[in-house]
């Protein structure tokens, strides 16, 4: 798995966490299986474009914005709270 794919998976996990949702709840609301979400969030498989579209639709983010964000952010040196804060700021800040 490439670094960009890993960061995309982490971004998807943080999007779910930012809404305080369990994997089960996200699965029920998006039609994705819990196993699929778990595997993506734990970087065992990269999300397909179809799955990315489901996340974009559910979280009301523009097409491609998750991938663009994941390509340009460096989570490596950040702790969980800092990563979550970046995701919240990028996708859910209202100005």
């Amino acid at each position: 798995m490439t670094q960009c794919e890993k960061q995309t998976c982490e971004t998807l996990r943080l999007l779910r966490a930012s809404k305080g949702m369990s994997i089960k709840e996200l699965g029920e609301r998006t039609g994705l299986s819990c196993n699929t979400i778990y595997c993506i969030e734990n970087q065992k498989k990269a999300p397909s474009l179809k799955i990315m579209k489901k996340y974009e639709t559910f979280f009301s983010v523009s097409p491609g914005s998750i991938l663009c964000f994941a390509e340009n952010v460096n989570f490596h040196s950040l702790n969980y709270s800092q990563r979550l804060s970046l995701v919240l700021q990028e996708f859910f800040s209202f100005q």
Side-chain angles (χ1 to χ4, degrees):
M1 185 174 284
T2 67
Q3 186 63 28
C4 182
E5 289 171 328
K6 289 178 183 179
Q7 298 219 150
T8 299
C9 292
E10 177 67 0
T11 301
L12 295 176
R13 181 176 76 91
L14 292 165
L15 280 169
R16 178 185 59 78
S18 73
K19 297 296 185 182
M21 300 175 71
S22 67
I23 288 175
K24 182 179 179 184
E25 184 179 4
L26 180 61
E28 290 169 352
R29 296 183 67 188
T30 61
L32 296 170
S33 74
C34 292
N35 186 59
T36 295
I37 295 168
Y38 174 85
C39 287
I40 290 168
E41 290 188 3
N42 288 281
Q43 300 176 6
K44 297 184 184 306
K45 83 180 230 184
S48 66
L49 290 176
K50 183 178 177 181
I51 290 171
M52 292 299 298
K53 180 66 177 158
K54 287 187 179 216
Y55 272 85
E56 291 167 345
T57 300
F58 180 77
F59 289 105
S60 299
V61 298
S62 61
S65 62
I66 296 170
L67 290 174
C68 185
F69 176 77
E71 282 183 352
N72 293 300
V73 71
N74 183 1
F75 286 140
H76 181 70
S77 63
L78 303 176
N79 66 35
Y80 177 79
S81 294
Q82 291 168 322
R83 293 190 308 263
L84 184 58
S85 179
L86 273 177
V87 167
L88 285 169
Q89 182 179 4
E90 178 71 20
F91 295 104
F92 304 112
S93 64
F94 301 97
Q95 299 184 14

